[in-house]
Amino acid sequence: VRAFWPAASTTPLLRRREVTSVFSSRDQGSSNPRRELGDDDLEDVDLREYRAQLIAKAKAGTLFVTPIAADADCSEALKNRPTTTVEEVTEWAYETPVLEQGSVILGKCSDETNVGFAMMQQQFHKSVILLVQHDANFTLGLLLNRPSRRTVDGWEVWFGGDVCNEGLFDIGGSAEATEEDLRGRNVWVECLTTLPPDSTALRKVVKGVSRTSWVQAREMVQSGKATKDDFYVFVGYCGWAPKQLAGELERGTWYSVASDGGSLMAELAKTKRQETVLDNGDATWESVMGRIGRGEEAQRFAAKKSLEDQMLRLFVDERLDAQQGRETTKDRLSWQTQRASEALSKLVTGPPSGGKQDASSQTLGGGKKKTSVAQELFQLGTPPTNTETLVAPGALLAARAVGSDFLLNQQHLHKSLLLVVASSDEKVILVSLNRPTKRLVSIALNHKKNRQAQRSLAFGGVVPATAAPGNVLWIKMGAMPDLGGNFSTGDALPGPGSRRRRRFLTPHVCHPRDVGPAVASRAVDVNEFLAVCGVTVWSKKEFTRLLSTGALVPLEAASFPWDEVFDLHASSSSSESSSDNGVDLWHRAVAQSGLDPNDLTPRHPHLEAHLDDFTTTQLADKALQTFIQNFS
């Protein structure tokens, strides 16, 4: 017997002469059990449903399959057939390796932390995704178990995916948007419905499920052909390039499932009726897992309360909920604006002393001026003429998780110490100072003799400094020695205000090309440098927002423990010091600035209500540890 499994790209209809001879007890009494199916019989037969019927009969022991020659007598082959009858199944789901339009993929759990789902794409943990398009060019799916409390022109919307949902699910955003709010944004809006497909507005996804645009759905409601309750509106989608999803299936990221459309739409209806705590989709995921025979597995992971579970709960509360029961937007904006203003006043360059702007200390040998290291490495363009409102290079900040900031994303910044290395009117560039790694960076001292010097490498951020060789920045306390020629002394980072500290206490960003020759000449020891890989880049607007929420707090430069920072990254102690992720140094630096570290670990009752006895700070600490273990 040759089982026929069509390619994923074929139309989901049974084709003539491709059907294995299959008989069950339903054939009893038929005068011609081998009647060849014609095209008219097959037009509305869905392969998924046909497979489900075969699986149901196989489980019931009523499936009879035999090869029969075209001119053979069937009587002997059918003599010992089972006689038990099996009802046609109308609700079904089963695992299948076949990916096609109408397939459902389920986020898979494991005993090991799924770092991607926990740290970056929380929406995919325990997800149920319907593939509404799957072809050789693209795969598009909609998340069926991520409802929200947000609306667009009075229509309830689901979080369909992380692609093309610009602005609608922003943290702290308005619960009510209009079509006008979406204009000019990169937003995809689509509807699912149980209404049958037609030749114009409604396109079939799978039997029992149709898709249409939001525009066409509204037209149908306005014309009286449908009601708003007939549609489920999704903003955003999940997208995969050709063969990408198949590769993820092979790596064990998902379960691939075929399901009847009616059951999927029934799950949507149940989710829509939730009115208390916003549904995080667990019940839908567990229901589909149970229908494919993985109910015990789903229950085991439901009881585990993993990091992924907690992060998903935060994702739902922060991005999909409508922020009910919190400060009004007006009140929240008022005190956040005041906090940002106070913080910025401590960080800006400020008016120069004596009425003259203090120029950068970066010079060439012999005192000749040159484009600054920051302009060259970070491509900042022409320096602004008015620097009084710029965030001052050399400004120091303590970062901590507040709400979802540095918790749902950028977890490495929780309890980090940040140094501003460059800024412009549009952006602020910073490096983390207390994230040691076990990696080393080598400096070539003499190519002929293959002499090298090594320095421990600090993790500075996730954005590569592409113009710096090896993506490494070099920071030194005090200026580089003047070696003459084209060597530079580096960019001074004096910090806020117009008064410079003593020159040898001022951190400098040094040009990477000058570090090797300076160390080779023994004018500088390699351990006088802090080697930092990567940076953090924020727009000025985002930087201001983080100040307003308290996620960033200015520190006093005069009391900053620079010696301890360099000791933390010493080659002999990096592996030992990295065990606490630099958190102890963060506490000391905060305390030495006259701040209470306990005041910088606030509670968030609206988030912690669903965190199973976790505080957001404890969860942020756990997320930071997970990030460091996997990425640094």
Side-chain angles (χ1 to χ4, degrees):
V1 178
R2 180 179 65 86
F4 170 69
W5 291 93
S9 60
T10 59
T11 304
L13 296 176
L14 290 175
R15 300 179 185 276
R16 185 172 183 153
R17 304 189 189 282
E18 292 177 335
V19 184
T20 305
S21 298
V22 179
F23 308 101
S24 72
S25 55
R26 287 171 51 89
D27 300 315
Q28 286 188 340
S30 172
S31 59
N32 183 14
R34 288 189 64 256
R35 181 177 71 87
E36 184 178 19
L37 297 178
D39 292 339
D40 292 340
D41 300 303
L42 302 172
E43 286 183 358
D44 296 322
V45 179
D46 191 300
L47 273 179
R48 301 169 191 81
E49 186 173 359
Y50 181 75
R51 295 170 192 148
Q53 305 293 344
L54 297 183
I55 291 171
K57 292 172 183 179
K59 289 181 177 179
T62 61
L63 184 66
F64 179 70
V65 182
T66 184
I68 302 175
D71 56 350
D73 184 356
C74 298
S75 57
E76 283 297 321
L78 299 176
K79 186 178 294 183
N80 297 317
R81 270 184 316 146
T83 57
T84 305
T85 60
V86 178
E87 294 294 329
E88 292 286 345
V89 291
T90 57
E91 297 184 359
W92 45 267
Y94 57 90
E95 284 188 65
T96 172
V98 178
L99 280 175
E100 53 197 341
Q101 180 176 302
S103 291
V104 175
I105 59 173
L106 306 178
K108 185 184 290 188
C109 296
S110 69
D111 292 318
E112 299 293 328
T113 299
N114 186 321
V115 178
F117 288 179
M119 310 297 283
M120 295 172 285
Q121 296 178 307
Q122 295 87 3
Q123 69 273 10
F124 288 141
H125 177 57
K126 293 183 177 178
S127 59
V128 180
I129 305 175
L130 174 65
L131 303 186
V132 299
Q133 175 185 339
H134 180 74
D135 53 41
N137 300 314
F138 191 63
T139 298
L140 187 150
L142 299 176
L143 279 157
L144 300 184
N145 60 333
R146 296 291 178 258
S148 80
R149 292 196 200 278
R150 303 183 187 273
T151 61
V152 178
D153 280 345
W155 293 65
E156 296 179 8
V157 298
W158 260 248
F159 179 88
D162 55 349
V163 183
C164 295
N165 61 26
E166 182 183 342
L168 191 64
F169 300 104
D170 284 354
I171 295 169
S174 173
E176 300 176 354
T178 64
E179 182 183 7
E180 187 64 29
D181 295 330
L182 303 184
R183 294 188 186 279
R185 295 183 179 182
N186 186 19
V187 176
W188 174 285
V189 186
E190 186 157 19
C191 302
L192 294 181
T193 180
T194 58
L195 297 175
D198 57 29
S199 59
T200 55
L202 302 175
R203 293 165 290 163
K204 179 180 177 181
V205 176
V206 68
K207 187 176 180 180
V209 183
S210 301
R211 62 188 289 211
T212 189
S213 70
W214 185 44
V215 173
Q216 291 170 320
R218 286 182 297 169
E219 290 176 353
M220 292 180 69
V221 172
Q222 292 170 359
S223 66
K225 295 179 180 179
T227 68
K228 288 172 64 174
D229 290 337
D230 290 324
F231 299 98
Y232 299 90
V233 184
F234 295 82
V235 176
Y237 64 86
C238 312
W240 290 269
K243 300 183 180 180
Q244 180 184 354
L245 182 55
E248 294 176 6
L249 281 173
E250 291 178 1
R251 292 191 294 273
T253 305
W254 313 96
Y255 290 121
S256 176
V257 175
S259 173
D260 68 286
S263 297
L264 295 175
M265 299 305 284
E267 292 290 350
L268 276 175
K270 285 191 294 184
T271 303
K272 194 171 185 177
R273 289 195 291 268
Q274 297 287 335
E275 295 180 357
T276 53
V277 177
L278 184 60
D279 191 349
N280 66 351
D282 280 4
T284 300
W285 180 80
E286 291 170 11
S287 174
V288 181
M289 286 284 285
R291 291 171 58 211
I292 63 173
R294 294 188 176 273
E296 292 185 4
E297 178 183 335
Q299 290 302 313
R300 180 167 68 87
F301 284 109
K304 186 179 179 182
K305 300 300 180 184
S306 64
L307 175 62
E308 298 96 311
D309 289 331
Q310 309 291 353
M311 298 293 270
L312 172 60
R313 183 69 256 175
L314 281 175
F315 174 87
V316 171
D317 285 348
E318 283 290 273
R319 296 197 61 186
L320 308 188
D321 207 337
Q323 317 292 310
Q324 294 182 358
R326 310 183 194 181
E327 307 99 327
T328 64
T329 300
K330 184 177 180 180
D331 292 341
R332 186 171 66 249
L333 287 177
S334 177
W335 64 259
Q336 286 186 350
T337 300
Q338 181 179 356
R339 175 186 280 172
S341 177
E342 292 174 354
L344 278 173
S345 67
K346 300 176 182 178
L347 296 172
V348 296
T349 302
S353 58
K356 294 182 179 180
Q357 187 65 45
D358 194 3
S360 169
S361 72
Q362 197 272 348
T363 60
L364 297 177
K368 293 182 291 184
K369 298 293 182 181
K370 187 189 175 184
T371 302
S372 73
V373 173
Q375 286 176 297
E376 187 172 342
L377 294 184
F378 305 123
Q379 301 173 351
L380 294 178
T382 304
T385 55
N386 179 15
T387 62
E388 292 185 12
T389 60
L390 286 182
V391 177
L396 293 158
L397 302 103
R400 45 73 185 268
V402 173
S404 61
D405 288 325
F406 311 150
L407 181 50
L408 286 180
N409 51 48
Q410 296 182 306
Q411 293 88 355
H412 62 284
L413 292 173
H414 173 56
K415 291 186 177 177
S416 67
L417 300 172
L418 298 172
L419 170 70
V420 178
V421 293
S423 67
S424 68
D425 291 330
E426 293 81 27
K427 58 186 176 182
V428 181
I429 302 172
L430 313 91
V431 294
S432 297
L433 297 174
N434 61 326
R435 292 289 178 260
T437 73
K438 297 179 181 179
R439 303 175 186 178
L440 298 174
V441 59
S442 298
I443 306 171
L445 303 180
N446 188 316
H447 292 288
K448 292 183 179 180
K449 296 182 179 181
N450 198 27
R451 288 180 56 221
Q452 291 184 333
Q454 290 186 324
R455 183 70 168 106
S456 295
L457 190 60
F459 175 79
V462 296
V463 180
T466 54
N471 186 29
V472 177
L473 300 180
W474 297 87
I475 297 172
K476 180 182 178 298
M477 297 305 293
M480 289 274 281
D482 189 346
L483 300 179
N486 288 324
F487 290 102
S488 65
T489 58
D491 277 2
L493 307 176
S498 58
R499 181 185 175 187
R500 289 190 183 276
R501 291 173 292 161
R502 292 169 60 187
R503 188 177 180 86
F504 67 88
L505 292 178
T506 302
H508 282 62
V509 175
C510 304
H511 202 292
R513 67 164 177 260
D514 299 329
V515 175
V519 174
S521 68
R522 300 184 180 179
V524 181
D525 186 83
V526 69
N527 290 317
E528 294 182 44
F529 293 99
L530 187 64
V532 183
C533 181
V535 298
T536 294
V537 181
W538 285 310
S539 67
K540 186 74 174 291
K541 180 180 179 181
E542 176 65 4
F543 181 77
T544 303
R545 186 192 71 79
L546 292 169
L547 289 171
S548 74
T549 64
L552 295 178
V553 179
L555 296 177
E556 288 293 333
S559 59
F560 190 77
W562 276 109
D563 287 344
E564 294 184 54
V565 169
F566 277 77
D567 289 343
L568 181 68
H569 300 285
S571 300
S572 59
S573 61
S574 288
S575 60
E576 300 172 1
S577 301
S578 61
S579 61
D580 74 346
N581 304 326
V583 170
D584 286 347
L585 180 55
W586 180 88
H587 280 273
R588 291 194 295 273
V590 168
Q592 290 177 24
S593 282
L595 304 172
D596 185 352
N598 292 324
D599 291 340
L600 297 189
T601 53
R603 298 290 298 273
H604 301 278
H606 66 279
L607 293 179
E608 294 168 4
H610 311 120
L611 287 184
D612 303 310
D613 299 325
F614 272 86
T615 66
T616 49
T617 299
Q618 290 171 332
L619 189 58
D621 289 343
K622 186 176 181 180
L624 170 61
Q625 183 179 10
T626 301
F627 183 96
I628 297 297
Q629 289 173 346
N630 287 275
F631 296 112
S632 69

